[in-house]
Amino acid sequence: MGIIERLKQGNTSSGIAALGNTFLAAIKGVAAAFSGSGTMFASAMHSLADAVNQGFVYFGSVLAELPPSKRFPAGFGRVINIFCMIAVVVVTIMAYETIKEGWHLLQHPAESTHFWLNLIILLVALLVDGFILYKAMKEIRMETGGDKAVAIIPYAFKNVNKASPATRLVFYEDLVATAGAVLAIIGIVLAQFFSILAADGIASMIIGILMLYVAFRVGYDNMVGLIGVSAPAEIQDKIYNIVLKDEDVVDIKRIRMIQEGRLYHVEGTVELKKGLSLDEADDIKYRLRDVLLREPEVADVLLGIVETDDIKNWNPEEKK
């Protein structure tokens, strides 16, 4: 597979977000330099952090899609978690700089200039960040198998934790970016028309605090992913039902589903009905494996088979 084909496999939301935020960081940086607006500086720092992060995450998502090899038989799914942790460090540093600048402006408020330039750029940022956020919401719906008829905004908030690490990061970052653009607009309007110069510093500090929240949220999610987290209850129920639906399966001895990036590894032992030959049992095992591998969430399957011991071992509610 060529480089272009590999790049196409990367996370769409993070790729679009990286390009969009690079553009926003550039125009906001120019506006901040001309106007001296602390709020605009904070917003520019946020966009720059987002651009760097989402660029890292996009290339991490490309690497995560590489097929397993002899040296790495479990695949590269957790690579995306490493890249997201790098992004967390960048966000934290930018958040610190933003809060520090906001505190400085709060202690020493100064009147900014070029109000209309700042306002126009922030409105452009609001549109671009809002568009990226909407794309991330669509990606969440696609990755979690949501119905296109459902309302996308409440669905995205409810199911964001089931999306891939890259999509989650884009969602959280651009949710804060969109809110930050609104706060920045409020800050410069209050400073310009009501002479509340402290609003500039307060808005900057709030944006920085929101960035810290993103760093904590994304950092926690990816730390869990690096350790190895079990599949969500919905995915587990789906796998249980597929296995137990087979007419030759009597019970599940044990089963484990571990998340790797946006996919899941399934490993377990199933009990088959008595009286089957070894060849028949092997055929059933491979049949089950093939059925599970047809599910879009499943990366690989390792199943063992034993004859039923007539003891009910499996209670999904107890295993969760």
Side-chain angles (χ1 to χ4, degrees):
M1 186 181 292
I3 294 177
I4 300 299
E5 287 73 19
R6 293 283 185 202
L7 292 176
K8 287 180 179 178
Q9 289 186 328
N11 182 267
T12 305
S13 294
S14 58
I16 294 172
L19 295 174
N21 280 294
T22 299
F23 167 72
L24 291 179
I27 63 173
K28 288 177 182 178
V30 171
F34 273 101
S35 66
S37 169
T39 303
M40 184 60 75
F41 172 80
S43 189
M45 287 297 98
H46 190 182
S47 293
L48 179 61
D50 286 353
V52 172
N53 290 345
Q54 290 154 354
F56 267 118
V57 170
Y58 172 72
F59 286 107
S61 69
V62 172
L63 294 175
E65 294 296 324
L66 292 174
S69 63
K70 288 184 178 179
R71 187 176 182 185
F72 302 101
F76 298 84
R78 295 190 194 185
V79 168
I80 188 59
N81 298 107
I82 297 173
F83 277 81
C84 285
M85 292 301 286
I86 295 172
V88 166
V89 175
V90 175
V91 172
T92 303
I93 294 171
M94 294 297 186
Y96 166 75
E97 292 295 331
T98 301
I99 293 171
K100 186 174 77 170
E101 179 66 16
W103 179 253
H104 173 76
L105 288 169
L106 196 60
Q107 297 294 101
H108 308 283
E111 187 173 354
S112 61
T113 59
H114 298 79
F115 168 77
W116 290 108
L117 173 64
N118 287 339
L119 182 61
I120 290 170
I121 288 177
L122 286 172
L123 288 173
V124 171
L126 184 61
L127 290 174
V128 173
D129 284 324
F131 171 75
I132 295 170
L133 180 61
Y134 176 73
K135 291 289 289 181
M137 289 179 176
K138 289 182 69 176
E139 197 93 358
I140 291 169
R141 186 174 64 184
M142 184 188 73
E143 291 178 356
T144 57
D147 191 335
K148 290 185 177 181
V150 301
I152 192 169
I153 295 176
Y155 182 88
F157 276 92
K158 184 178 179 181
N159 294 278
V160 60
N161 290 334
K162 301 172 191 173
S164 67
T167 302
R168 288 201 304 268
L169 183 137
V170 173
F171 174 81
Y172 285 127
E173 285 198 337
D174 277 277
L175 180 63
V176 171
T178 305
V182 174
L183 285 171
I185 291 171
I186 293 172
I188 66 169
V189 168
L190 289 175
Q192 177 72 20
F193 294 106
F194 299 94
S195 298
I196 306 176
L197 301 182
D200 203 12
I202 293 170
S204 298
M205 292 182 69
I206 293 174
I207 292 171
I209 291 168
L210 290 174
M211 291 168 70
L212 282 179
Y213 168 75
V214 169
F216 171 79
R217 179 75 230 191
V218 174
Y220 173 79
D221 286 347
N222 286 280
M223 178 185 68
V224 169
L226 282 170
I227 294 170
V229 65
S230 61
E234 293 85 352
I235 301 296
Q236 293 188 39
D237 289 341
K238 185 177 182 180
I239 300 302
Y240 301 152
N241 291 333
I242 291 173
V243 173
L244 293 172
K245 188 177 178 181
D246 191 283
E247 60 183 4
D248 293 308
V249 174
V250 176
D251 196 8
I252 298 175
K253 192 81 170 178
R254 66 175 187 86
I255 198 164
R256 183 175 67 170
M257 287 168 261
I258 301 296
Q259 184 171 359
E260 294 277 357
R262 63 182 180 85
L263 300 175
Y264 302 93
H265 295 274
V266 180
E267 178 184 346
T269 304
V270 298
E271 295 185 9
L272 305 181
K273 64 185 182 182
K274 294 181 177 179
L276 296 172
S277 67
L278 183 58
D279 286 342
E280 289 172 328
D282 270 344
D283 290 342
I284 295 166
K285 179 179 75 172
Y286 291 123
R287 182 177 73 214
L288 282 171
R289 184 200 64 181
D290 292 342
V291 169
L292 291 174
L293 286 174
R294 283 198 288 269
E295 297 301 314
E297 304 93 348
V298 178
D300 63 55
V301 178
L302 180 62
L303 287 180
I305 49 172
V306 294
E307 188 175 70
T308 181
D309 56 7
D310 294 323
I311 300 173
K312 187 68 175 178
N313 297 297
W314 191 249
N315 183 345
E317 294 303 320
E318 291 179 358
K319 304 297 181 181
K320 292 179 185 177

